[in-house]
Amino acid sequence: MSAEQRIHAAAMQIMSEVGVNFNNKEACGILKANGIRVEGSTAYFTEEQVMHWVRMAPESFTIYARNPKYDMVVGGDHVNPAATYGCAFIDDWEGNRRPGTMEDFIKCVKLIHAEEIYDINGGILIQPSDVEEKKAAVEMFYGAVSHSDKAIMLPTGFKNEMELILEASCELFGGKEALAQKPRMIALINTVSPLTLDERMLDCLMLLARYGQPAILCPATMLGATGSISMAGSLASGTAEDLAGIVLAQMIRPGTPVVFGIQSTAADMRGGITFACAAPEGTKMQGFAAKMGKFYGLPSRGGGCQTDAIRINCQAGYESMLTFSSAYRHGINMVMEAGGVMDSVNATSFEKMVVDFEIIRQVKESFKPVEVNEETLNLEEIKEIGHDGTFVTAESTMDNYMDLYSPKVGPRTGKEEDYFKKGIDREMERLLKKYDTERPQLDEEVRTRMETILAKADVTAEEFEKIRTM
């Protein structure tokens, strides 16, 4: 048996003998109606039942952006980075920390929109502390669609928030059926390890499925804490969690696009329990998501540009490069947290985000194959220059030297003590100016109809205007 087959067999044993906890009465009712044995809130699945539903999900799918140039294919050989997600705090260059705000959220949206490596924007880029929790998801969604026309990462909120967001999305994209035919957004559905899906995430998952919008099922198991100390054991239990949610989504709407995710990593227990998001174990486990995704015929999700460092330093650099290059090498289809995360995903840093943009560009460039053809071999010029000439003034050099990769951060000629920070500041300023020059527009009639719906979450006209004009 292959490693994937062994993980699958173990996951099937877990699902049939231990079961998966669904802390949601509606979800349990749907499972029962489709022949799944449910005792209390625990569902028990046979392999035949699991595979019957999993096979209905597509191997790849497209998330259609408001601006078609950002349409994003999820699956196959496509590797799509998505920036910071879920952090509550903002860290500055000196390491000072403060709660995030809606203004910080909008700044994230602008930077991500201006940076060409991303086709997707939004989600919980920063949790805004100045917005009531009951309407934070609604305001983040409104802020993302007001300031970007890329494919949409949805923030997951309370059930009533998700209902309003999806209803407003129908106004934006031509109705519920049109939204289902051309999915416009995707959302992260985290499981609760071990072997549990909670009520709020299940509400969001069921709503996404009813509207035909893709969902990422993803455990974030910590080895030896919320999962087995062995990577294989945690991969098996995480697979069971993923598949349980995927089955439910297919029961609601067969063919719902789903992503098989793994965000699991080590727990550092030396002096407490720390989610070691940049640990080598994490790169291996999250890389396995791509293998299991292919095994089930599903796209995959992992993480990249992650660090456990509390400052932007050498550790932050090598961990971020390690995690993103690993994700790219493994072929993970959606690489989340790829841009800006600090301190084990506790904080977002704008300076770190700009550094991560550079890391992602360099990794993508380094994985491009060398082009070998008659023109690139350049034999005639090599023969002409021979042993004693120079290529510095050669015609091909003069015509093409600007094509060689040049970093936007960390110039190779930097001499000043603070050259690196100055490079970050210049690049951030360039991106924000670019955003102001190319600011995307949202049709005012559509915006008004959306606001009418989203206002049901107690968002005032003044709050809409404030977000819109940030």
Side-chain angles (χ1 to χ4, degrees):
M1 294 173 69
S2 67
E4 294 90 330
Q5 288 171 321
R6 288 181 180 274
I7 295 296
H8 168 74
M12 293 302 100
Q13 192 170 343
I14 291 168
M15 295 181 80
S16 64
E17 297 179 15
V18 184
V20 177
N21 216 11
F22 284 75
N23 289 329
N24 187 295
K25 289 182 180 179
E26 183 183 3
C28 288
I30 292 168
L31 294 170
K32 286 180 183 178
N34 284 279
I36 306 300
R37 177 167 65 95
V38 180
E39 296 180 6
S41 61
T42 304
Y44 301 86
F45 303 80
T46 67
E47 182 175 10
E48 182 181 5
Q49 288 171 328
V50 171
M51 297 311 297
H52 168 77
W53 293 106
V54 169
R55 290 190 184 105
M56 294 183 183
E59 191 170 2
S60 65
F61 57 88
T62 300
I63 305 175
Y64 294 89
R66 206 161 82 238
N67 185 338
K69 76 176 184 178
Y70 300 120
D71 289 352
M72 187 174 84
V73 177
V74 182
D77 296 327
H78 299 273
V79 176
N80 301 291
T84 179
Y85 189 98
C87 299
F89 301 101
I90 292 289
D91 281 1
D92 65 18
W93 178 260
E94 287 77 25
N96 301 308
R97 177 166 294 181
R98 61 173 174 79
T101 65
M102 179 54 71
E103 189 172 0
D104 295 321
F105 177 89
I106 298 300
K107 185 175 179 179
C108 284
V109 171
K110 290 179 178 180
L111 287 169
I112 294 162
H113 184 84
E115 176 49 63
E116 296 175 357
I117 56 175
Y118 297 101
D119 289 324
I120 192 165
N121 207 342
I124 308 175
L125 296 171
I126 185 73
Q127 187 70 49
S129 63
D130 54 345
V131 177
E132 293 179 67
E133 186 183 9
K134 68 177 183 178
K135 55 184 177 181
V138 166
E139 294 201 15
M140 284 187 280
F141 166 74
Y142 181 76
V145 297
S146 293
H147 292 277
S148 180
D149 55 10
K150 294 189 174 185
I152 300 169
M153 173 71 72
L154 280 182
T156 46
F158 295 103
K159 183 178 180 179
N160 69 302
E161 288 183 287
M162 290 299 290
E163 288 173 334
L164 295 174
I165 287 170
L166 288 163
E167 187 181 342
S169 299
C170 290
E171 294 293 334
L172 183 59
F173 295 116
K176 188 173 182 178
E177 195 54 41
L179 192 61
Q181 288 177 0
K182 294 180 70 174
R184 303 285 186 161
M185 56 201 77
I186 190 168
L188 175 63
I189 305 298
N190 282 318
T191 66
V192 182
S193 302
L195 299 172
T196 299
L197 285 87
D198 70 15
E199 182 174 26
R200 185 168 166 178
M201 287 289 102
L202 285 167
D203 281 338
C204 292
L205 175 61
M206 290 186 289
L207 281 166
L208 289 166
R210 290 190 177 105
Y211 280 80
Q213 301 308 289
I216 306 165
L217 274 298
C218 193
T221 306
M222 291 189 287
L223 297 176
T226 58
S228 167
I229 191 67
S230 73
M231 285 187 279
S234 278
L235 285 169
S237 61
T239 295
E241 294 168 16
D242 273 357
L243 295 177
I246 289 167
V247 165
L248 177 64
Q250 301 310 310
M251 287 177 175
I252 293 169
R253 181 189 279 265
T256 294
V258 291
V259 176
F260 184 99
I262 296 175
Q263 185 62 49
S264 303
T265 189
D268 194 330
M269 301 184 187
R270 299 165 181 84
I273 298 178
T274 300
F275 183 66
C277 72
E281 292 89 349
T283 66
K284 290 193 283 188
M285 294 177 73
Q286 292 171 41
F288 216 86
K291 294 182 179 181
M292 294 309 296
K294 288 182 172 64
F295 181 85
Y296 292 116
L298 299 170
S300 58
R301 181 265 186 186
C305 292
Q306 298 160 320
T307 183
D308 300 309
I310 60 173
R311 296 286 297 270
I312 301 174
N313 53 21
C314 180
Q315 178 190 354
Y318 69 67
E319 288 180 343
S320 296
M321 179 63 81
L322 168 69
T323 53
F324 189 79
S325 60
S326 172
Y328 206 92
R329 176 173 58 84
H330 283 108
I332 294 171
N333 299 126
M334 282 206 67
V335 187
M336 292 188 63
E337 298 168 359
V341 297
M342 294 289 297
D343 189 20
S344 308
V345 203
N346 279 310
T348 290
S349 162
F350 294 118
E351 290 91 350
K352 169 69 160 43
M353 185 177 289
V354 173
V355 173
D356 288 340
F357 294 167
E358 182 65 43
I359 287 172
I360 295 168
R361 283 192 297 267
Q362 291 201 21
V363 169
K364 292 178 73 173
E365 185 67 27
S366 70
F367 276 89
K368 286 182 181 178
V370 175
E371 188 177 355
V372 180
N373 56 41
E374 186 174 344
E375 181 182 356
T376 61
L377 285 168
N378 201 21
L379 287 176
E380 290 305 314
E381 195 169 64
I382 292 170
K383 292 175 184 177
E384 181 182 336
I385 290 173
H387 304 99
D388 301 322
T390 176
F391 286 90
V392 173
T393 56
E395 184 178 345
S396 65
T397 300
M398 301 303 290
D399 289 344
N400 299 293
Y401 76 94
M402 291 292 287
D403 294 342
L404 298 179
Y405 185 85
S406 178
K408 291 185 171 67
V409 175
R412 299 178 180 123
T413 56
K415 304 296 183 185
E416 303 163 284
E417 184 178 349
D418 60 348
Y419 81 94
F420 188 65
K421 175 62 163 58
K422 285 182 176 178
I424 293 171
D425 292 342
R426 280 194 302 270
E427 178 61 6
M428 193 181 307
E429 183 180 1
R430 183 190 73 83
L431 288 169
L432 291 172
K433 283 183 178 178
K434 178 185 176 185
Y435 177 84
D436 286 336
T437 302
E438 304 172 2
R439 183 185 293 263
Q441 300 301 313
L442 181 60
D443 181 85
E444 286 303 317
E445 289 187 15
V446 172
R447 183 195 299 278
T448 300
R449 294 201 300 271
M450 289 178 60
E451 289 179 359
T452 300
I453 294 167
L454 298 176
K456 297 174 186 176
D458 294 331
V459 183
T460 66
E462 291 75 18
E463 287 172 317
F464 283 128
E465 183 180 7
K466 183 178 178 181
I467 292 169
R468 193 167 61 244
T469 55
M470 278 181 176

